[in-house]
Amino acid sequence: MNSENFTLCEKMVSASYVRQASEARRGHEQLIRQLLEQGKCPEDGWSEGTVELFLNELAVMDSNNFLGNCGVGEREGRVASNMVARRHYRLIHGIGRSGDIAAVQPKAAGSSLLNKLTNLLVLDILKMAGVRSVKSCFVVPMATGMSLTLCFLTLRQRRPKARYIIWPRIDQKSCFKAMITAGFVPIVVENVLEGDELRTDVDAVELKICEVGAESVLCVHSTTSCFSPRVPDRLEELATLCDKYDIPHIVNNAYGVQSSKCMHLIQQGARVGRIDAFVQSLDKNFMVPVGGAVIAGFDEAFVQEISKTYPGRASASPSLDLLITLLTLGANGYKKLLSDRKEIYAFLAEELKKLASAHGERLLHTPHNPISLAMSLDGLQAGCDQAPTQLGAMLFTRQVSGARVVPLGKEQSISGHTFRGFMSHTESYPCPYLNAAAAVGICRDDVMLCIKRLDKCLKTLRKEANQSSSQLQSLKSS
């Protein structure tokens, strides 16, 4: 409805009523105008009505929604199912063109605008979350692992003689396979144990650089967010090394946006040394469906180079989901989520500490990990070697998701490389343990229910262990 149509409405409905409706409509349009002018996440979240109005306005800018459009090409935005069309708000053309995921599509001005706006909004959020000097970013419709692969493939064009990627060990399959898929040989650097924490062996990283030669190293591949007792890598030291030897540095920041500590590490690393790009998951940080990531960096030209490496057009679904989410939350809504998560982390730590003490265990001291916690299972294993594994199965069947039980001595082969002590980020961690994380969106009820069910499982296992011990003693005495 434009001003002319509102004027025509006054012939059928009272002019005062129409003017009131026009003012209400203008309120929605004012929010949209501010978004287009500023290119930043709105301070306060929009209503669903405003978001849907905006998406419908974007959709009518795409050629598949033009009245009387005659499409005779091989890709005309045709959709067989109306349900599918509604699910995507009739934004069917996707993002990018065959040669560049960030390029504008002549047939799809609305979808192209959606893509540009989403990238601007998430850039604003990354700055707000702590990486204030980040220059550019883009949403890519792939999860973290494949997005890392895209970064490595881009670096190959700059360093054609490079064969190796130096990688401080983290026991997570996708980041390891990302290097293999890109065609490189990972050089795994074992972590060092400092107290309960597993930390980056910076001297070993430098030694590996010197052994193979800096020109043979594609990049250092470091990590921020991770399962305790591993903690974020020493990014400042690694960034300084990369700057010293002129080696690129890619950071796996999978779920680090929600942590001010992880984001501060990236900011500081870029300030004192070299960080070329950092990659983060959409679902883990922004509570949207799995399938997207954000690739960001401090050199706009390099970030654009990565986007141009992506072959072909791409799905707009991750960008659409993120745009809807950020417009609905607003900057203040997202800040509150981050603040709430930090409070729940402290609450989870306190509750786990009390539970551990009650069962003769302890909360591992990992102050450098701002998201994940670990509780020892020494005493549980002393009663029965299989008890830790049983605990993991019991928690899963009792609908406690996300808790990881890490036994001792597990081996895992990934793409021909054998990891000893797999899941514990080191070959021989001193004790088995259980992980729990306070990730964005968690609430106090989640923590209390988890602690209650974990307590019951531990009591059941200890009771079974005591019964087995009593039976064994009876057999011996008889």
Side-chain angles (χ1 to χ4, degrees):
M1 295 286 281
N2 56 28
S3 58
E4 292 179 5
N5 287 338
F6 274 118
T7 300
L8 292 172
C9 290
E10 292 178 6
K11 295 180 179 180
M12 293 169 276
V13 179
S14 168
S16 62
Y17 298 161
V18 172
R19 282 194 295 273
Q20 185 181 41
S22 178
E23 285 298 317
R25 165 81 183 206
R26 194 171 291 117
H28 293 292
E29 291 175 343
Q30 177 74 2
L31 291 173
I32 294 171
R33 184 179 67 79
Q34 289 174 355
L35 174 68
L36 295 173
E37 281 181 349
Q38 299 171 6
K40 293 184 177 181
C41 191
E43 287 297 310
D44 299 311
W46 291 4
S47 68
E48 286 190 11
T50 305
V51 174
E52 290 191 331
L53 173 65
F54 181 50
L55 294 178
N56 287 327
E57 293 282 353
L58 292 178
V60 297
M61 295 171 67
D62 283 2
S63 63
N64 60 294
N65 299 312
F66 291 174
L67 296 177
N69 183 65
C70 176
V72 292
E74 82 288 354
R75 182 187 290 111
E76 295 296 339
R78 301 183 182 100
V79 176
S81 167
N82 286 330
M83 185 183 294
V84 171
R86 290 195 303 273
R87 174 177 177 254
H88 294 275
Y89 286 90
R90 305 190 318 281
L91 293 157
I92 310 302
H93 280 283
I95 58 175
R97 301 185 74 180
S98 59
D100 184 357
I101 194 176
V104 172
Q105 294 186 64
K107 290 182 183 178
S111 293
S112 299
L113 182 57
L114 179 150
N115 188 29
K116 298 288 186 183
L117 277 173
T118 305
N119 292 342
L120 287 172
L121 263 60
V122 75
L123 182 67
D124 187 42
I125 290 294
L126 292 178
K127 291 179 177 180
M128 181 204 78
V131 187
R132 300 198 176 277
S133 61
V134 61
K135 289 295 190 292
S136 182
C137 73
F138 68 99
V139 174
V140 59
M142 303 185 295
T144 310
M146 285 302 295
S147 298
L148 287 166
T149 296
L150 189 65
C151 294
F152 302 145
L153 290 172
T154 304
L155 286 175
R156 166 178 276 162
Q157 299 167 35
R158 291 189 169 194
R159 299 173 70 85
K161 295 180 181 179
R163 185 184 174 202
Y164 303 103
I165 296 177
I166 296 178
W167 180 63
R169 177 176 170 177
I170 174 171
D171 288 355
Q172 204 271 341
K173 294 179 183 179
S174 64
C175 52
F176 185 80
K177 292 173 75 174
M179 298 180 283
I180 299 293
T181 301
F184 295 96
V185 178
I187 296 177
V188 182
V189 177
E190 291 291 335
N191 300 300
V192 291
L193 186 64
E194 296 181 7
D196 288 334
E197 292 183 326
L198 289 164
R199 308 210 65 188
T200 318
D201 190 339
V202 179
D203 290 338
V205 171
E206 185 167 21
L207 183 62
K208 292 296 183 183
I209 292 173
C210 295
E211 280 181 5
V212 300
E215 69 284 350
S216 297
V217 178
L218 182 83
C219 66
V220 171
H221 176 195
S222 63
T223 305
T224 55
S225 53
C226 54
F227 293 119
S228 184
R230 195 195 192 280
V231 300
D233 280 320
R234 289 183 159 102
L235 287 199
E236 288 186 47
E237 291 92 328
L238 291 177
T240 302
L241 270 184
C242 289
D243 190 47
K244 175 182 175 181
Y245 290 98
D246 193 25
I247 293 173
H249 184 186
I250 305 295
V251 180
N252 176 6
N253 189 45
Y255 47 100
V257 179
Q258 62 193 277
S259 162
S260 58
K261 183 174 287 188
C262 289
M263 298 300 272
H264 175 73
L265 287 173
I266 294 172
Q267 174 64 30
Q268 286 299 101
R271 185 183 66 82
V272 303
R274 177 172 179 173
I275 292 179
D276 294 72
F278 56 104
V279 179
Q280 35 275 307
S281 163
L282 292 189
D283 61 286
K284 295 184 184 80
N285 291 294
F286 300 104
M287 296 192 294
V288 294
V290 171
V294 178
I295 299 175
F298 303 91
D299 177 4
E300 188 170 355
F302 180 60
V303 174
Q304 288 178 357
E305 196 176 329
I306 299 172
S307 74
K308 289 177 180 179
T309 303
Y310 186 98
R313 288 172 173 80
S315 169
S317 289
S319 296
L320 177 60
D321 291 340
L322 184 58
L323 180 65
I324 292 171
T325 300
L326 293 180
L327 291 178
T328 302
L329 287 172
N332 290 332
Y334 191 66
K335 286 177 186 175
K336 186 175 187 308
L337 283 175
L338 301 188
S339 175
D340 290 348
R341 187 210 69 79
K342 195 174 286 189
E343 288 181 13
I344 297 297
Y345 172 82
F347 178 60
L348 175 61
E350 185 60 33
E351 291 299 311
L352 268 180
K353 186 176 182 180
K354 288 191 289 188
L355 180 68
S357 178
H359 288 276
E361 304 289 357
R362 66 187 184 90
L363 182 68
L364 301 182
H365 185 61
T366 56
H368 291 97
N369 193 316
I371 300 173
S372 176
L373 295 159
M375 184 184 89
S376 73
L377 297 176
D378 274 325
L380 184 66
Q381 183 168 272
C384 173
D385 285 344
Q386 298 304 312
T389 304
Q390 287 178 269
L391 175 63
M394 291 173 72
L395 289 171
F396 183 76
T397 57
R398 286 157 180 77
Q399 299 181 5
V400 178
S401 60
R404 295 169 76 246
V405 170
V406 180
L408 295 178
K410 182 177 179 180
E411 285 195 5
Q412 177 76 46
S413 181
I414 306 172
S415 302
H417 185 95
T418 299
F419 290 89
R420 293 180 178 84
F422 188 72
M423 293 176 65
S424 65
H425 319 288
T426 186
E427 292 194 349
S428 55
Y429 195 74
C431 67
Y433 57 86
L434 176 139
N435 279 134
V440 66
I442 192 173
C443 63
R444 292 177 74 91
D445 287 346
D446 291 324
V447 173
M448 293 309 297
L449 200 52
C450 170
I451 295 295
K452 181 180 178 181
R453 291 175 180 174
L454 177 56
D455 184 40
K456 283 186 176 180
C457 290
L458 288 170
K459 286 177 178 175
T460 299
L461 287 170
R462 292 192 186 282
K463 184 179 178 181
E464 290 175 357
N466 290 335
Q467 288 175 345
S468 297
S469 179
S470 297
Q471 291 172 358
L472 186 60
Q473 289 297 325
S474 298
L475 288 171
K476 285 182 178 179
S477 61
S478 63

